[in-house]
Amino acid sequence: LNLPAKYKMVEPSFSMFWNADVPIYQNEDHTVKVTVWAGNDYFHMQQPNNSPPPASWASDASHDVAIMHITIQPGGSMILPKAHEERVNRSLFLIEGHGQGVLVNGDKQDQPVVLSMDSSKDVKLELPESATGAIEILLLQGKPIDEPVKQYGPFVMNTEAEIQAAFQDYGRTQFGTWPWPRDDMVFPREKGRFALIQGTETTPNNVETCLEQDS
């Protein structure tokens, strides 16, 4: 995610969201599944969201940032709640199964499109029982930062001069210290999955994914 100008030079930070810790909503007949990577107080789930990095635009709930992966099986339907705040940009990306004929507010969509939605209104998503497979949708939303944007490759800043400075910083430091002796480090298979964050190694825990039933 982009950052406002006042946070672009903060200390780097990273949050690891292990699969078992990410809230998941499912309806009663399991025809709808929503993985909520970000988004507070949607679907009345009891499991809390993971905390984003402190300087992230998503760390302020008033920015109403949401990132959700929605899967709907044939015959499934759901209401995507409207945004909590005003002036929120909301987009739906039809990423898989677009040929199944999903209905978005009653309009059939059969192409891999990006739909810009009115975030002040609920959205009804339906997949006909006649569909032969599931549909997958990515939702991205949030208030706009409303600042100039200069982007080149992976770098996003506010001015051309800042972009040039970012390239110089990367050439000098690679944006931090690589903690291993090789650039193409390979770990033993038995080590399993892990993340190294600020010198602390974490691994997936055994917490089961939360399934919230429709009420």
Side-chain angles (χ1 to χ4, degrees), residues 105-153:
N105 286 335
D107 294 330
K108 184 178 179 180
Q109 305 292 336
D110 54 10
Q111 297 294 324
V113 297
V114 180
L115 303 174
S116 296
M117 309 303 297
D118 181 350
S119 63
S120 68
K121 299 178 181 179
D122 292 344
V123 179
K124 186 172 184 179
L125 303 173
E126 306 170 85
L127 188 60
E129 290 187 6
S130 59
T132 58
I135 182 81
E136 295 184 35
I137 298 172
L138 176 67
L139 175 143
L140 299 179
Q141 75 169 43
K143 281 187 177 180
I145 295 178
D146 285 337
E147 291 180 352
V149 173
K150 281 289 183 178
Q151 183 264 336
Y152 193 94

Side-chain angles (χ1 to χ4, degrees), residues 191-211:
K191 181 175 178 58
R193 300 175 63 205
F194 74 97
L196 185 65
I197 305 171
Q198 297 177 340
T200 301
E201 188 174 295
T202 64
T203 59
N205 57 37
N206 296 320
V207 177
E208 293 184 356
T209 304
C210 172
L211 301 182

Side-chain angles (χ1 to χ4, degrees), residues 13-19 21-22 37 50-53 193-197 200-205:
S13 183
F14 174 79
S15 296
M16 184 67 192
F17 296 172
W18 292 111
N19 180 63
D21 299 326
V22 178
W37 295 99
N50 291 279
S51 298
R193 300 175 63 205
F194 74 97
L196 185 65
I197 305 171
T200 301
E201 188 174 295
T202 64
T203 59
N205 57 37

